[in-house]
Amino acid sequence: MVQNAAIRYDLTNVLEVQFMRLTDKVAIVVGAGQQPGETIGNGRATAIRFAQEGAKVLVVDKNSDWASQTLKMIEEFGGIAQVQLADITDEIDCKLIAEACIGHFGRIDILHNNVGRSEGDAGTTEIDAAMWDQLMEMNLKGMFMTCKYVLPIMRKQQNGIIINVSSIASICAHNSIAYKTGKGAVNTMTHHLAMENAQHGVRANAILPGLMDTPMAIERRAREQNVHREEVRKARHQRVPLLGRMGSAWDVANAAVFLASDEANYITGVIMPVDGGLSSSIG
């Protein structure tokens, strides 16, 4: 009877965690706005899912309108959030992100680094050195600087979760150099953060999205190729092993919820593809 009671107690706890996984947690989502498009972006979807799971969210973006739209979506279902405008290539702005979160919510449990860019990238002999610097600043240096100012707070708490959004381009063939190299460095930095901060109870993991149906992915390619969005979608769907379809931002967001939750409290240093098997389709 005692054993059965213990089993029932454990199952009850599991159900409670699944119902509201991030209750009482505070999350920073960097890149929580998005450009206009027919679908939702990774950062906005993650901010919404974190709030749905009970977290208070600091919505960080460079664009005031995009951040405000995410805030409105969160508040419409009763979620709690604040906006912080920031350019993550500016170290002072990165410092202010951490300070703003402490000012609004008193702690930082989750740092979700979502900002990234591939536009302007090219092959090794074609890319301009100034463009290389721009892409590295946004895709790598910005993540380093947000971590730099959040980590002292997490170490003091002896608890925290860092989630860096990388890309399967970091581990698969890619037709341009700076984005692939930068995202590969994000993976390496995530490993370092995990080992450097494990003694402080801080976990660090990376998500590697594959082909996703997001505004950043679809709108730009349709514009650059001068074709309809559906042509871009069709070509990308055909490349994905799992059911022959791209993922959505909600797939990335749900992976982030899991990594941010107590269900993943023994997971650190993981580089997790969310790609419908694309990175496994070798040979």
Side-chain angles (χ1 to χ4, degrees):
M1 291 298 291
V2 174
Q3 185 179 12
N4 290 340
I7 291 171
R8 285 198 299 274
Y9 177 79
D10 289 343
L11 289 175
T12 300
N13 282 351
V14 169
L15 291 172
E16 287 175 354
V17 169
Q18 290 175 342
F19 178 69
M20 194 67 80
R21 291 167 164 175
L22 304 181
T23 299
D24 298 328
K25 293 186 183 293
V26 173
I28 297 172
V29 179
V30 183
Q34 69 170 65
Q35 62 182 277
E38 295 179 329
T39 55
I40 193 166
N42 294 333
R44 176 171 289 171
T46 299
I48 289 170
R49 287 291 295 118
F50 280 177
Q52 287 174 336
E53 293 289 345
K56 299 179 180 70
V57 181
L58 186 70
V59 173
V60 179
D61 205 273
K62 187 177 180 179
N63 186 295
S64 176
D65 290 339
W66 297 354
S68 296
Q69 290 165 12
T70 303
L71 175 66
K72 182 180 178 182
M73 291 177 180
I74 290 171
E75 291 180 337
E76 282 176 350
F77 62 79
I80 299 172
Q82 295 285 340
V83 166
Q84 177 68 21
L85 300 181
D87 176 356
I88 65 161
T89 66
D90 184 318
E91 186 168 6
I92 293 175
D93 277 12
C94 291
K95 183 173 184 287
L96 290 174
I97 291 170
E99 291 177 354
C101 193
I102 291 296
H104 287 303
F105 303 123
R107 60 182 294 112
I108 304 171
D109 298 295
I110 304 157
L111 171 63
H112 184 83
N113 282 313
N114 180 72
V115 173
R117 170 186 160 194
S118 62
E119 188 172 11
D121 205 355
T124 307
T125 59
E126 289 78 33
I127 190 170
D128 183 79
M131 178 58 68
W132 169 280
D133 290 341
Q134 286 182 31
L135 293 171
M136 286 296 178
E137 273 203 330
M138 180 168 288
N139 294 336
L140 178 61
K141 186 179 178 182
M143 286 193 186
F144 149 68
M145 291 192 296
T146 56
C147 292
K148 176 181 178 179
Y149 290 104
V150 164
L151 273 169
I153 298 164
M154 290 184 171
R155 288 173 178 176
K156 187 176 180 180
Q157 294 170 173
Q158 286 291 291
N159 184 268
I161 301 106
I162 295 172
I163 303 169
N164 294 324
V165 177
S166 179
S167 168
I168 63 160
S170 65
I171 59 173
C172 297
H174 192 65
N175 59 5
S176 47
I177 188 170
Y179 184 75
K180 177 179 177 63
T181 303
K183 290 300 189 180
V186 168
N187 298 351
T188 303
M189 181 175 69
T190 302
H191 279 141
H192 175 82
L193 292 169
M195 296 300 96
E196 178 188 56
N197 296 284
Q199 63 182 316
H200 302 291
V202 177
R203 300 189 287 108
N205 296 294
I207 295 174
L208 280 59
L211 297 177
M212 298 293 166
D213 191 347
T214 63
M216 181 174 286
I218 303 302
E219 303 296 332
R220 176 170 68 85
R221 286 170 175 81
R223 183 175 66 252
E224 290 176 349
Q225 298 169 24
N226 195 28
V227 297
H228 194 274
R229 300 179 188 91
E230 291 309 313
E231 290 189 43
V232 176
R233 287 190 173 102
K234 182 179 179 181
R236 288 164 68 86
H237 284 319
Q238 291 174 347
R239 294 172 57 191
V240 181
L242 186 62
L243 298 176
R245 64 167 180 81
M246 285 186 288
S248 76
W250 300 114
D251 296 308
V252 175
N254 288 330
V257 167
F258 168 69
L259 290 174
S261 75
D262 291 342
E263 295 169 49
N265 64 9
Y266 203 59
I267 298 175
T268 194
V270 165
I271 308 300
M272 178 190 289
V274 180
D275 67 351
L278 187 58
S279 59
S280 298
S281 57
I282 300 171

